[in-house]
Amino acid sequence: MLTLTQALYDQIVAHARKDHPDEACGVVAGPAGSGRPERFIPMVNAARSPTFYEFDSQDLLRLYREMDERDEEPVVIYHSHTATEAYPSRTDIAYANEPNAHYVLVSTADTDGLGEFQFRSFRIVDGEVTEEEVKVVEAY
């Protein structure tokens, strides 16, 4: 299960809406080994695409160095889908290389008639996708 604060949830959704019609992407870092998402880090979609996201390699290198210095790890890796449901694509699965991370997808399209977005979390390990419950809390 992914547990995150209402503030982090709101920041991820706001970033997805702001970057629409392009996909948004980013990371929520937390203390290494804690599994607790704490620090919201929106990234630039270097692909600037409505159907694909890509972290800029220099930004990603900078981010990982910063997380190392702060004894953090990526707890949540998120991106948005602008025209499809919030479910990992084949490309998303192929690029998922953090087995301990929660992969959050936000859809900014009304694909299920339930509203303008979906917020879902998955574990992706060795190409295997497992959806998990998302619990939003006021504070940890």
Side-chain angles (χ1 to χ4, degrees):
M1 172 173 35
L2 169 62
T3 301
L4 76 164
T5 63
Q6 184 69 55
L8 288 169
Y9 178 95
D10 292 346
Q11 287 174 302
I12 292 169
V13 170
H15 185 202
R17 286 180 171 157
K18 180 176 83 58
D19 282 13
H20 187 88
D22 289 341
E23 289 193 3
C25 57
V27 172
V28 182
S34 74
R36 189 176 64 240
E38 291 184 354
R39 190 166 64 95
F40 176 71
I41 308 161
M43 304 285 283
V44 171
N45 179 354
R48 299 207 186 340
S49 166
T51 59
F52 181 74
Y53 83 96
E54 180 178 33
F55 293 123
D56 176 89
S57 59
Q58 291 300 316
D59 289 347
L60 198 56
L61 180 60
R62 211 172 301 117
L63 170 65
Y64 271 84
R65 284 184 177 154
E66 184 180 293
M67 285 191 299
D68 282 346
E69 289 170 9
R70 297 172 65 124
D71 198 25
E72 292 176 328
E73 64 186 1
V75 178
V76 171
I77 299 171
Y78 73 88
H79 76 280
S80 61
H81 283 178
T82 61
T84 59
E85 71 173 319
Y87 190 85
S89 68
R90 285 189 305 253
T91 304
D92 297 338
I93 295 166
Y95 283 124
N97 61 2
E98 290 286 350
N100 295 323
H102 302 269
Y103 286 87
V104 165
L105 278 99
V106 176
S107 176
T108 54
D110 183 0
T111 58
D112 59 8
L114 298 176
E116 60 188 34
F117 73 90
Q118 300 171 334
F119 189 108
R120 298 168 72 185
S121 183
F122 303 88
R123 294 293 192 149
I124 305 173
V125 180
D126 296 329
E128 187 80 23
V129 178
T130 306
E131 186 165 7
E132 61 184 352
E133 182 183 342
V134 177
K135 181 179 177 185
V136 179
V137 297
E138 281 306 310
Y140 300 124

